[in-house]
Amino acid sequence: MLIRLIYTLILSLASPLLLYGLYKSKPGKPSFGQRWKEHFGITPQTQGKNPIWIHAVSVGESIAAVPIIKQLKRRNPNQAIIVTTTTSTGAEQIEKLGDLVEHRYMPIDFSWCIRGFLKTVQPKQMLIMETELWPNTLHCVAKAGIPISVLNARLSERSCQRYAKFQAVFDLLAKNLSQVLCQYPSDAERFIRLGLDKASVHVTGSIKFDIEVSAEQVSKGKALREQIGFERCVWIAASTHQGEDEIVLDAHKQLLKDNPNTLLMIVPRHPERFNQVSELAQEHGFKTITRTSQQPITSNVEVYIADTMGEMLVLLGGSDVCFMGGSLVGGKVGGHNLLEPAALQLPLLNGPSYFNFSEITDKLLEAQAVTICQNSQDIAGQLQQLFKQSELRKTKGLAAYQVVEQNRGALDKTLVYILN
């Protein structure tokens, strides 16, 4: 009780800054509009009674939740589902599901906000994507008798050691969890090491392997490639972060010396950087257009900035090779998920920093489907080799696809636990 009281006091002091960051207007970031009230527990009534509540903090978790949502609705079309996100970009992803779900913004982690939300929504259970754990939320939900499951749970060794230093805080979180469904045995071992009951910890695998690439996405990818031209070499730098775009653009400049007909597609991770990356490419002397400009991708276009959200599979479908961002910068990023390009049979390049996706990346390394690049010279060299050897591209792309296929099944295992 005392720990939660101290935490609430700290949150009260920090909340103005947190809210400022949340509501601050940025290019490419959707506005919250009048829905800001939902962050304070003032939530509209739901259409269905006693919904399953899924919390997905932002874009990545929202995308991971989609297969679960679709399967839940297939098994019980009448079951109401409400999805909360903290960010407006996450909300944008969920709204693409249309009538399958209702969306609400996640209340701030004050008890009075959470109680207001629960009183209105009255969910039958709470499903948390990955490991988004808030003390007051967990306390209020568990006190209301609502079971809480953490899905697709991950806990890195670094996070485990950090929690261990504040064991009392972790205990405060853990006592409210009904079950934790982990991606890998190593994640489960860390949760148990921190004191979770073994009976409540299960290994279900990563839901992210159960990727669904719709016929519509495949069709749009082919249409994009037709617009670019099948005779061109196309590579995509996906989910790039600050400091990586310069490296990617330098690699592209080297590549164009021997492959002048090559197109680079850059997909910045954060929408507020769309304009910045476009300007950076132009400053480097590249003929650059953006996706939202809807200009034709003529043969003289060298860099194509994908300044939209939620179209990654379409963009990957128009590419020959994928370099995954978030892996050339140090700090907290630790790479991004390589499974989407793998599912589309693309050969993969990655930087040396991928600690947040080590299990997935290690599987792809074992299959020789991904190559680790240290700098722009490495990236350019690998691309030159792949573009010269079409059979090598096919071999590495097929190896990546087989890793995805061999590890499917987490979705079905997860549903067994949450529907029982």
Side-chain angles (χ1 to χ4, degrees), residues 104-253:
R104 299 289 184 272
Y105 284 113
M106 180 70 180
I108 302 168
D109 196 38
F110 290 115
S111 296
W112 60 273
C113 296
I114 302 301
R115 285 196 294 266
F117 175 86
L118 293 176
K119 184 178 179 180
T120 301
V121 175
Q122 298 182 359
K124 64 192 295 185
Q125 64 172 312
M126 182 184 190
L127 309 178
I128 301 174
M129 294 306 302
E130 302 197 358
T131 319
E132 179 74 11
L133 307 177
W134 294 94
N136 287 327
T137 296
L138 297 181
H139 172 78
C140 292
V141 174
K143 190 176 180 180
I146 300 165
I148 304 170
S149 301
V150 183
L151 312 187
N152 221 38
R154 296 168 55 220
L155 186 65
S156 67
E157 184 61 33
R158 180 185 294 185
S159 296
C160 180
Q161 291 176 9
R162 195 176 298 139
Y163 275 127
K165 293 177 182 177
F166 304 95
Q167 186 67 49
V169 175
F170 184 82
D171 293 343
L172 183 69
L173 301 170
K175 70 178 184 180
N176 296 308
L177 302 176
S178 306
Q179 57 184 353
V180 178
L181 309 183
C182 299
Q183 293 188 23
Y184 298 100
S186 57
D187 298 309
E189 182 273 328
R190 293 179 192 120
F191 276 110
I192 293 168
R193 197 197 314 165
L194 285 170
L196 258 70
D197 184 355
K198 287 184 180 181
S200 67
V201 180
H202 310 282
V203 179
T204 51
S206 174
I207 294 168
K208 292 181 178 179
F209 282 102
D210 292 285
I211 297 170
E212 290 185 4
V213 183
S214 69
E216 181 186 11
Q217 288 167 324
V218 171
S219 177
K220 286 182 177 179
K222 287 181 179 177
L224 174 60
R225 189 51 191 257
E226 285 176 5
Q227 186 186 353
I228 294 169
F230 289 101
E231 74 284 354
R232 298 193 71 177
C233 298
V234 183
W235 68 293
I236 184 170
S239 297
T240 60
H241 287 251
Q242 186 87 33
E244 291 185 314
D245 303 289
E246 293 87 347
I247 299 171
V248 165
L249 290 167
D250 185 49
H252 192 52
K253 184 166 285 188

Side-chain angles (χ1 to χ4, degrees), residues 44-57:
Q45 289 283 348
T46 56
Q47 295 177 7
K49 291 184 178 180
N50 301 120
I52 292 175
W53 172 19
I54 301 176
H55 178 55
V57 60

Side-chain angles (χ1 to χ4, degrees), residues 248-321:
V248 165
L249 290 167
D250 185 49
H252 192 52
K253 184 166 285 188
Q254 295 175 51
L255 190 63
L256 288 175
K257 293 175 184 177
D258 294 323
N259 301 72
N261 200 28
T262 303
L263 176 70
L264 164 63
M265 290 198 279
I266 304 182
V267 190
R269 178 70 174 181
H270 300 111
E272 58 268 26
R273 296 185 57 245
F274 288 160
N275 292 338
Q276 176 191 339
V277 176
S278 180
E279 290 170 3
L280 184 66
Q282 293 174 63
E283 288 169 7
H284 277 67
F286 294 109
K287 170 63 177 175
T288 305
I289 64 171
T290 63
R291 184 159 175 78
T292 55
S293 72
Q294 297 185 335
Q295 298 177 59
I297 310 173
T298 53
S299 59
N300 67 328
V301 173
E302 298 167 311
V303 176
Y304 184 65
I305 307 296
D307 56 344
T308 58
M309 297 292 289
E311 289 195 300
M312 186 65 80
L313 285 168
V314 173
L315 297 162
L316 290 167
S319 309
D320 296 311
V321 181

